[in-house]
Amino acid sequence: MSWQGVIHQYRDYLPFDADVQIVTLNEGNTPLVAAPRLAELIAPGANLRLFLKYEGLNPTGSFKDRGMTAAITQAVAEGSKTVICASTGNTAASAAAYAARAGLRCLVLVPEGKIALGKLAACLAYGADVISIDGSFDEGLDMVRAIVERQPVTLVNSINPWRLEGQKTGSFEIIDQLGGQAPDWHCLPVGNAGNISAYWMGYKQYGKGLPRVLGGQATGSAPIVTGKVVEKPETLATAIRIGNPARWRQALEALDESDGIITAVTDEKILESWHLLAKREGVFVEPASATGVAALKQQIERGAIDPTNKTAVCVLTGHGLKDPGTAVDQATPPISMPADIDALENYLTS
Ligand code: AN7
């Protein structure tokens, strides 16, 4: 039988009732792509086995679909008619898609002007009520937390425990794809800290070994690194422009229990790794997604991680087409020439 999504695949590890009707877009089963050229660049001669978990290939283009199939499945099972979330964009697009599929109303609160174009386009296409707030993600999250106390709507941010249940299937897949064992290092971007918390839950539950966890935050939005709420988070990686992560405590637990590391990387270094992923490995991601790679490269350079004969998995959380604006801004513009063979030959040989 072909792949039918993460709930079907890992049903025995998920606490759904036996008769639940699964809402799925056949998410998951994303490739674990070997990245030997990038590995040699960030750890020359070290025999680092580097893999990219390409979560941007999920149905809505981000890792959020794993948790959203679970959250929407459970919302329907509980009779919910309306779901709501605050989002930097990817949660919103995912919620909008799964809600559309389930016939639910979906409200998404996004920070005005700070959501990448591909995410906004998707939310609108899926027919969500897109509410652009004059405030940050964190303020939006406060609003949705408050509204669910007053109105019968289901919150589908990663505060919702079902989101983590679905999301943890990423760990199961990585272990299965590595032939039954966990990597030495599991590297990923950290924003609201749902993903890091879920991956750690998954590794512990699967019982096939534990990695050390390396989380990367953008320097301008690094509350977990500094231990302080960031009132005005800033970063070009808008997906992780979050100053007060909802799953902060669980992230600290994952870091502590795994003997992990959380580190801040500058926007410059995020972009450097974003370029390397595309130009060295042919893997196009949105900027935030390169933060795990940037963190790994930085910690190797600092001597905090010894890459020798290690296996590292970097989770690439969102597809490059999510943020075409940044991609075009960062690129060399196209070459203009007349529609003429001589001009082309001249260019090719110059
Ligand atoms: C591409 O969509 O928070 O630490 O509202 O979109 O689990 O929050 C997105 C987060 C990393 C951080 N990479 O994951 C949202 C949202 C991408 C993301 C993260 C996000 P968490």
Side-chain angles (χ1 to χ4, degrees), residues 93-176:
S94 187
Y98 285 81
R101 200 159 170 84
L104 305 180
R105 184 174 181 201
C106 178
L107 279 67
V108 303
L109 274 66
V110 298
E112 176 108 55
K114 298 292 183 184
I115 166 173
L117 190 61
K119 304 175 190 182
L120 182 62
C123 291
L124 295 169
Y126 294 129
D129 300 1
V130 180
I131 299 162
S132 191
I133 61 162
D134 174 18
S136 64
F137 165 84
D138 303 283
E139 290 169 289
L141 190 59
D142 289 344
M143 288 169 69
V144 301
R145 279 183 196 258
I147 199 78
V148 298
E149 299 295 320
R150 297 198 205 173
Q151 293 294 324
V153 296
T154 302
L155 192 155
V156 294
N157 281 102
S158 59
I159 306 160
N160 179 328
W162 291 94
R163 282 280 310 281
L164 300 200
E165 291 294 334
Q167 193 61 46
K168 75 186 179 190
T169 61
S171 316
F172 306 161
E173 264 181 49
I174 289 172
I175 287 173
D176 292 346

Side-chain angles (χ1 to χ4, degrees), residues 6 18 20 27 36 50 78 81 104 110 132 213 224 242 279 339:
V6 298
V20 76
E27 62 294 313
L50 178 62
E78 291 172 5
K81 300 284 177 248
L104 305 180
V110 298
S132 191
V213 175
I224 302 178
I242 295 173
K279 293 183 176 175

Side-chain angles (χ1 to χ4, degrees), residues 37-38 41 271-285 327 330-333:
R37 298 189 70 218
L38 190 56
L41 190 113
L271 282 176
E272 178 199 43
S273 287
W274 173 83
H275 271 294
L276 288 173
L277 282 163
K279 293 183 176 175
R280 297 259 172 171
E281 296 290 3
V283 177
F284 181 36
V285 299
Q330 292 302 319
T332 320

Side-chain angles (χ1 to χ4, degrees), residues 61-64 85-93 119 137 157-158 163 167 188-197 238-240 242 245 286-289 315-319 322:
S62 88
F63 74 104
K64 304 285 183 182
C85 65
S87 179
T88 58
N90 280 329
T91 299
K119 304 175 190 182
F137 165 84
N157 281 102
S158 59
R163 282 280 310 281
Q167 193 61 46
L188 79 176
V190 177
N192 213 26
N195 209 19
I196 189 172
S197 305
T238 53
I240 53 171
I242 295 173
E286 66 169 286
S289 300
V315 184
L316 307 181
T317 43
H319 198 280
K322 289 280 189 176

Side-chain angles (χ1 to χ4, degrees), residues 31-88:
L32 188 70
V33 182
R37 298 189 70 218
L38 190 56
E40 190 51 32
L41 190 113
I42 68 177
N47 188 34
L48 169 66
R49 291 179 297 273
L50 178 62
F51 294 92
L52 310 171
K53 182 65 172 160
Y54 200 179
E55 288 286 276
L57 295 188
N58 273 298
T60 77
S62 88
F63 74 104
K64 304 285 183 182
D65 294 343
R66 291 179 188 277
M68 206 55 74
T69 181
I72 299 293
T73 292
Q74 187 61 20
V76 171
E78 291 172 5
S80 176
K81 300 284 177 248
T82 304
V83 297
I84 191 166
C85 65
S87 179
T88 58

